[in-house]
Amino acid sequence: MNHEEIKRYFENNPPPKEVRLTEWANITDTQVFLKSCYSTIRNFNGPIDRCSAWWHLRDFYILMKKTSSQLSASSQENDTAADASVKEESSQDEKIKEDPDLE
């Protein structure tokens, strides 16, 4: 994946405003961070794998992809738990309708 593909990804999936990239790196404005990375990469003279902005952008991209997949997985788990809760409530409602003394 190159920086242009990552740029298109973030245009379609904007990151949150603040992100903790590592234990020692907290990004307070991700749009400024991304613009800085893109600009530095564009102006870098040399192999891309020697550009620190490329590695920062790549690490940020990997973190955002991993975070979004974890969020979607937990969202699916929450949806399943919510469905189970709704089924349990409707089951209890049915029991109450059958036997009003259970209220």
Side-chain angles (χ1 to χ4, degrees):
M1 174 158 283
N2 65 38
H3 72 281
E4 289 297 328
E5 291 171 317
I6 293 174
K7 184 176 182 179
R8 281 191 296 275
Y9 172 81
F10 284 124
E11 287 171 350
N12 294 324
N13 305 292
K17 182 167 174 56
E18 292 188 25
V19 172
R20 185 174 183 99
L21 185 58
T22 65
E23 291 180 20
W24 56 88
N26 189 33
I27 301 170
T28 57
D29 189 333
T30 56
Q31 292 305 313
V32 170
F33 169 79
L34 290 171
K35 286 177 187 175
S36 173
C37 287
Y38 301 146
S39 175
T40 303
I41 291 167
R42 188 174 43 256
N43 294 319
F44 185 76
N45 294 323
I48 192 75
D49 64 337
R50 297 227 174 156
C51 180
S52 61
W54 159 246
W55 292 105
H56 296 309
L57 180 64
R58 181 184 160 277
D59 291 345
F60 182 69
Y61 169 77
I62 291 169
L63 175 68
M64 292 295 95
K65 288 287 281 188
K66 187 166 76 170
T67 303
S68 69
S69 66
Q70 287 174 348
L71 288 175
S72 65
S74 69
S75 173
Q76 289 174 350
E77 288 173 8
N78 288 341
D79 290 346
T80 304
D83 290 344
S85 176
V86 167
K87 287 178 184 176
E88 183 179 326
E89 287 176 12
S90 65
S91 173
Q92 290 174 353
D93 289 344
E94 290 297 319
K95 288 178 184 175
I96 290 172
K97 287 178 185 175
E98 292 172 6
D99 189 359
D101 292 333
L102 289 178
E103 272 188 86

